[in-house]
Amino acid sequence: GIQVEQSPPDLILQEGANSTLRCNFSDSVNNLQWFHQNPWGQLINLFYIPSGTKQNGRLSATTVATERYSLLYISSSQTTDSGVYFCAVGRKTGANNLFFGTGTRLTVIP
Amino acid sequence: NAGVTQTPKFQVLKTGQSMTLQCAQDMNHEYMSWYRQDPGMGLRLIHYSVGAGITDQGEVPNGYNVSRSTTEDFPLRLLSAAPSQTSVYFCASSYSGQGGTEAFFGQGTRLTVV
């Protein structure tokens, strides 16, 4: 499979602070998604971003496919941003199977 | 907008019992898959299907069975539950194709085997 490494593994922020989460992967991909797993365990789609840059409110993401990494930016963090952020990637060939990293656990304190 | 629906949300089984986790999607997606999530880890692929009548194994298929008789449904069967199958199970669906498409996940089933 594809190796996916996420950093940092844990992050504690004061409310209002900004952060950058990183995802490195070991092979060419045609699918890259960022998810937020909330404290109730639900996986929320944040971005589908196999390449380029996207923004959605306080969140934005950039994927540089040729260099095999993606970044998730969170600005002006809020306590509701707490949870685990997962990066998942899929190969250029074959079915749309996803390989997940082990996640970044974000805790935002008031 | 139901999306991907999993039932049940919680289940406790005794070792050796069998059960079926249900997954249904209403987006007419060809591709469906099952993942398991263990503490402190990302999700790992169990089985997947690229269309009705077609299934294949993922990374951790042992102890699980699947079938795909319709586009909408993709049940996961545990034939003889073991404590090692205690996990949270997620079902996902997406359009198929090598172009890569966005996957959507159900809300998960938390399974405990005692």
Side-chain angles (χ1 to χ4, degrees), chain A residues 30 33 37 45 48 96-97, chain B residues 31 37 94 98 100-103:
Chain A
N30 65 354
Q33 293 186 237
Q37 188 166 42
N45 286 34
Y48 169 70
N96 197 26
N97 299 333
Chain B
Y31 175 86
Q37 183 181 23
S94 69
Q98 294 187 1
T101 63
E102 185 174 8

Side-chain angles (χ1 to χ4, degrees), chain A residues 30-31 33 35 37 41-43 45 48 86 92-98 100-102, chain B residues 31 35 37 40-43 45 48 50 90 94-95 98-105:
Chain A
N30 65 354
N31 186 350
Q33 293 186 237
F35 297 92
Q37 188 166 42
Q42 290 179 296
L43 280 170
N45 286 34
Y48 169 70
F86 287 105
K92 277 192 172 296
T93 59
N96 197 26
N97 299 333
L98 291 176
F100 280 76
T102 53
Chain B
Y31 175 86
Y35 294 81
Q37 183 181 23
M41 298 182 67
L43 280 65
L45 182 66
Y48 65 96
V50 298
F90 288 93
S94 69
Y95 289 112
Q98 294 187 1
T101 63
E102 185 174 8
F104 296 89
F105 284 77

Side-chain angles (χ1 to χ4, degrees), chain B residues 53-72:
Chain B
I54 306 169
T55 63
D56 207 344
Q57 296 181 351
E59 183 184 358
V60 288
N62 292 342
Y64 307 96
N65 243 353
V66 292
S67 60
R68 184 98 178 268
S69 55
T70 67
T71 299
E72 295 78 19

Side-chain angles (χ1 to χ4, degrees), chain B residues 32-47:
Chain B
M32 296 184 74
S33 53
W34 278 100
Y35 294 81
R36 62 178 285 173
Q37 183 181 23
D38 298 306
M41 298 182 67
L43 280 65
R44 292 182 294 166
L45 182 66
I46 304 172
H47 283 286

